[in-house]
């Protein structure tokens, strides 16, 4: 669940996924009407900056190529239409034993740009695999969804406690999402993305799926183990997501985790000379909340009229707090904002104002990837994966309590983390496949990595998910901090690479010390 605070809405999630392969055996031969998807080959070619929105350094790298794979819009009715998914491959530098598909999380994270940025991190495991990143359906260059910007329902309501007015805004937002997103929106969701993953596996020429999933990518991997148990190869799930808790509980846990990480950052900052918040961590917490409230009330404006708000600060915090290595730069960037009213350093940490990776215009008939795509996709997938959907009366009755509960969990992140709960209102209930059927899988052993100090995916989710998936799941306990372990712990990275390359599985319950 790599978060994109100031989350945008999703559209009408009439999930055709409900008809997905709980009834059929997806581990068996492809159904006749899917044969054309399972027999395709990927045409790899040099990546182009104006198509994949990558830097020239990446596109000039001869070991990096790009391609697409075609999948049905609706697996229950393949004649309804098709979509193309974008992929990026880093060629193996040694004896290739297959492909390693990577998902960086979100949901809503673009894997093409993500893998290009993280190329060096996969240098060692890349000795034995072609490492492949992909933009899931609805994300990045794969038919991106949008809600037309970054609306925040409730901001235009005079009385924040007026539930009926908030519900009216939510309906209007849902309609705008449906209008802007196009035909892919009703078919977004992890159950469909998992089926796409299997089509990619076959198109890459692999008999089994070798997979490394982070955060939300662990939910995707878990669903794959249930849908395609006979196709599971070497699989690692790092920063393990929940398979059982609803959107509201997930969001509340996320708000609490991020607030704890922020408190830890401010405690660290105030113990270091030159911290812009002074030397008292309690005062620093109040100052941070006031900074965000003031910027929401009186945003900074650039020469071209764009605004920098308190929620933009929240967005950067949500990303920067995932790694302790980013704390010094975050402290300096906040110092420039508080001392000089200069947000440029924060913007560099979080991307351009109002933008996101993949915002450049793509050629070949594609449209510009919307600036709100990652957050719109996050909402679309999370709502599609959640079968719970309260009606209007329940929302009206509970919205006040929810606002108080989220504000108490985090005065900084509560508002943005409540949005996913509200924005699922009015959508058809999502699939119950994940909650009901993803359990007790019969696959080769695969590795789950849980980090004790993870602000987004608490360690207890690793334990709960491992128990749910059964004896095939092996847990590695990372006793450090930060979101996921592979990029922040040498011990975790070494153990994961050893499993992926040499099938050296750690003992269940073994640990890595904090670094």
């Amino acid at each position: 669940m790599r978060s994109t605070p100031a989350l945008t809405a999703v559209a009408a999630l009439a999930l055709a996924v409900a008809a997905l392969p709980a009834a059929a055996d997806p581990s068996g031969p492809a159904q006749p009407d899917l044969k054309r998807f399972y027999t395709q080959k990927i045409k790899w070619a040099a990546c182009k900056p104006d198509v994949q929105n990558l830097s020239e350094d990446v596109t000039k790298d001869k070991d990096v190529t790009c391609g697409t794979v075609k999948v049905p819009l609706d697996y229950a009715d393949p004649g309804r239409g098709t979509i193309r998914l974008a992929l990026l491959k880093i060629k193996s530098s040694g004896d290739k034993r297959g492909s390693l598909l990577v998902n960086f999380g979100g949901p809503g994270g673009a894997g093409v740009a993500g893998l290009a940025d993280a190329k060096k991190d996969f240098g060692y495991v890349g000795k034995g695999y072609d490492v492949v990143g992909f933009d899931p359906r609805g994300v990045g260059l794969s038919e991106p969804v949008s809600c037309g910007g970054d609306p925040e329902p409730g901001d235009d309501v005079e009385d924040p406690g007026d539930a009926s007015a908030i519900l009216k805004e939510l309906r209007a937002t849902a309609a705008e999402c449906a209008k802007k997103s196009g035909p892919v929106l009703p078919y977004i969701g992890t159950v469909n993305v998992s089926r796409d993953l299997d089509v990619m596996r076959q198109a890459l020429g692999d008999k089994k799926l070798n997979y490394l999933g982070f955060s939300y990518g662990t939910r995707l991997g878990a669903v794959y183990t249930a849908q395609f148990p006979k196709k599971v190869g070497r699989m690692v799930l790092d920063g393990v997501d929940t398979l059982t808790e609803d959107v509201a509980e997930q969001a509340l846990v996320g708000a609490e985790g991020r607030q704890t990480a922020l408190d830890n950052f401010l405690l660290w900052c105030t113990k270091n000379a030159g911290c812009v918040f002074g030397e008292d961590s309690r005062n620093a917490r109040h100052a941070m909340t006031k900074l965000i409230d003031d910027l929401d009330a009186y945003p900074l404006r650039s020469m071209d009229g764009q605004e920098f708000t308190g929620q933009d600060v929240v967005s950067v915090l949500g990303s920067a707090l995932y790694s302790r290595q980013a704390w010094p730069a975050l402290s300096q960037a906040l110092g420039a904002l508080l001392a000089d009213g200069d947000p440029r350093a924060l913007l560099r940490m979080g991307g351009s104002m109002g933008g996101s990776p993949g915002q450049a215009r793509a050629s070949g008939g594609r449209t510009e990837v919307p600036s709100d795509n990652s957050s719109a996709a996050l909402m679309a997938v999370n709502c599609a994966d959640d079968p719970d959907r309260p009606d209007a009366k329940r929302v009206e009755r509970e919205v006040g309590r929810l606002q108080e509960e989220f504000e108490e969990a985090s005065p900084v992140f509560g508002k943005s983390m409540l949005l996913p709960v509200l924005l699922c209102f009015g959508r058809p209930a999502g699939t119950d496949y994940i909650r009901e059927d993803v359990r007790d899988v019969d696959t080769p052993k695969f590795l789950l990595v849980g980090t004790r100090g993870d602000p987004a995916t608490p360690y207890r989710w690793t334990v709960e998910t491992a128990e749910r998936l059964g004896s095939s799941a092996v847990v590695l306990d990372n006793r450090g901090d930060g979101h996921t372990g592979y990029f922040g712990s040498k011990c975790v990275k070494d153990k994961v690479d050893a499993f992926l390359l040499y099938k050296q599985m750690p003992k269940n319950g073994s640990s890595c010390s904090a670094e």
Side-chain angles (χ1 to χ4, degrees), residues 77-307:
D77 183 7
R80 190 181 293 272
T82 62
I83 54 178
R84 285 194 173 275
L85 308 179
L87 298 90
L88 179 142
K89 178 176 72 173
I90 301 173
K91 184 180 178 182
S92 169
S93 61
D95 294 331
K96 176 185 171 184
R97 65 197 65 192
S99 303
L100 176 68
L101 275 156
V102 180
N103 181 282
F104 293 100
V112 169
L115 181 57
D117 290 341
K119 182 176 183 289
K120 292 181 180 179
D121 292 303
F122 297 98
Y124 187 75
V125 76
K127 293 180 179 181
Y129 292 98
D130 288 339
V131 183
V132 179
F134 63 98
D135 290 354
R137 58 173 62 207
V139 175
L141 300 172
S142 300
E143 304 295 332
V145 295
S146 172
C147 295
D150 287 313
E152 295 188 17
D155 278 3
D156 296 330
V157 177
E158 292 185 11
D159 178 8
D162 187 347
S164 61
I166 292 175
L167 292 178
K168 183 178 180 180
E169 273 200 65
L170 291 171
R171 290 189 181 97
T173 300
E176 186 69 9
C177 295
K179 178 181 177 182
K180 297 291 185 183
S181 293
V184 71
L185 189 63
Y187 306 101
I188 280 185
T190 303
V191 181
N192 264 342
V193 177
S194 173
R195 298 203 70 176
D196 294 342
L197 202 58
D198 196 57
V199 172
M200 284 184 262
R201 172 198 60 76
Q202 183 70 24
L204 288 166
D206 294 327
K207 293 182 179 180
K208 299 291 182 72
L209 175 72
N210 302 307
Y211 176 79
L212 175 54
F214 301 97
S215 195
Y216 160 77
T218 68
R219 188 196 312 171
L220 174 57
V223 170
Y224 188 91
T225 66
Q227 285 187 309
F228 302 95
K230 296 185 188 315
K231 299 299 182 182
V232 174
R234 300 181 191 183
M235 177 174 287
V236 179
L237 310 180
D238 183 2
V240 182
D241 201 355
T242 179
L243 300 175
T244 58
E245 295 183 359
D246 59 26
V247 168
E249 184 60 30
Q250 290 182 50
L252 190 61
V253 168
E256 292 170 342
R258 286 162 179 77
Q259 186 64 47
T260 298
L262 177 60
D263 291 346
N264 290 339
F265 161 74
L266 292 173
L267 179 62
W268 168 86
C269 182
T270 54
K271 288 184 176 181
N272 287 274
C275 178
V276 70
F277 294 105
E279 299 178 355
D280 187 298
S281 61
R282 178 176 296 181
N283 290 339
R285 288 194 291 271
H286 290 308
M288 177 64 78
T289 303
K290 185 176 186 302
L291 169 66
I292 292 167
D293 290 344
D294 288 349
L295 283 173
D296 279 339
Y298 306 101
L300 298 174
R301 285 182 171 81
S302 63
M303 294 294 290
D304 60 1
Q306 292 191 72
E307 292 186 344

